[in-house]
Amino acid sequence: MNTIKVKDLDFTVSIPREEIQKRVAELARQISKDMEGKNPLFVAVLNGSFVFAADLIRGVDTPCEITFIRLASYVGTESSGNVQELMGLKEDISGRSVVVVEDIIDSGLTMKGLIDSLKKQNPAEIRIASLLVKPGNMKVELDIPYCCFRIPNDFIVGYGLDYDGFGRNLADIYTVVK
Ligand code: IMP
Ligand code: MG
């Protein structure tokens, strides 16, 4: 098994880059079809979603906008459940079709908090696009129409996702070796 080290932990490839690119392109085509003529606003959640958002939006072929918000809830390899807004939304989203772009939905608490707060601004609709979902960890009900991969509960890094700030630059997705 080929392993790499990120800080003090060993990781091995679980989703190779080719597979990621293929799924992201498929998702972008689906979103383009569903959002045609709606001028959607993509709201990407920093930091983790920046790589996914960049690839996703380049696959979208209907007029659209993208903006970024910054949230944080993770400490080390555990979700703190306590979501902090570090950089808020400046755009007016009332009456708009919003696609929230996330790297991963784990407990779902971050996304639930975000969706509830965006809904107060009366968008026409809000849809979730998440690169990854860990269904086994979800603590809240969420409708996730766009998801590239459903994965087990193990901790992962790469393709934008980090372990204490490191590993975001990796082109593949890696799972921790236990
Ligand atoms: P949630 O609130 O528990 O759903 O946590 C979501 C956030 O935690 C995501 O936006 C990620 O930034 C981070 N996160 C969750 N699981 C992982 C993981 O396996 N690796 C790296 N970050 C993760
Ligand atoms: Mg995130």
Side-chain angles (χ1 to χ4, degrees):
M1 187 166 58
N2 259 339
T3 66
I4 58 154
K5 216 170 188 71
V6 179
K7 294 190 77 176
D8 57 323
L9 296 178
D10 293 317
F11 290 86
T12 185
V13 173
S14 54
I15 312 176
R17 63 194 76 185
E18 300 78 15
E19 210 178 311
I20 301 171
Q21 296 304 333
K22 187 168 156 258
R23 269 302 289 151
V24 172
E26 278 171 13
L27 208 71
R29 277 196 294 276
Q30 182 65 48
I31 294 175
S32 304
K33 214 165 100 201
D34 297 350
M35 291 288 155
E36 207 185 325
K38 292 184 174 182
N39 295 324
L41 174 66
F42 289 84
V43 176
V45 183
L46 295 173
N47 293 334
S49 78
F50 79 107
V51 179
F52 172 48
D55 283 345
L56 184 72
I57 195 137
R58 283 178 294 168
V60 172
D61 62 4
T62 191
C64 62
E65 291 175 75
I66 185 164
T67 188
F68 300 87
I69 56 169
R70 188 162 179 208
L71 304 176
S73 79
Y74 247 63
V75 179
T77 61
E78 295 292 326
S79 183
S80 70
N82 173 7
V83 180
Q84 259 185 297
E85 189 176 286
L86 304 171
M87 189 176 105
L89 188 67
K90 305 282 183 290
E91 287 74 8
D92 178 11
I93 61 165
S94 63
R96 295 210 56 180
S97 292
V98 173
V99 180
V100 177
V101 181
E102 249 295 26
D103 53 356
I104 186 164
I105 296 176
D106 186 9
S107 68
L109 294 170
T110 306
M111 186 53 83
K112 181 85 173 66
L114 176 58
I115 298 285
D116 288 349
S117 104
L118 291 176
K119 274 187 182 157
K120 291 186 190 135
Q121 301 176 51
N122 297 311
E125 60 178 329
I126 307 180
R127 298 190 192 193
I128 299 172
S130 188
L131 173 70
L132 302 149
V133 177
K134 289 182 184 170
N137 263 0
M138 294 249 312
K139 292 193 176 73
V140 289
E141 283 260 335
L142 283 175
D143 176 27
I144 309 168
Y146 307 117
C147 159
C148 291
F149 304 100
R150 287 172 210 281
I151 59 165
N153 289 346
D154 310 314
F155 189 74
I156 54 140
V157 292
Y159 196 69
L161 289 110
D162 72 306
Y163 168 40
D164 266 352
F166 289 87
R168 296 193 196 276
N169 54 310
L170 301 166
D172 309 286
I173 292 172
Y174 291 75
T175 302
V176 73
V177 179
K178 282 174 279 186

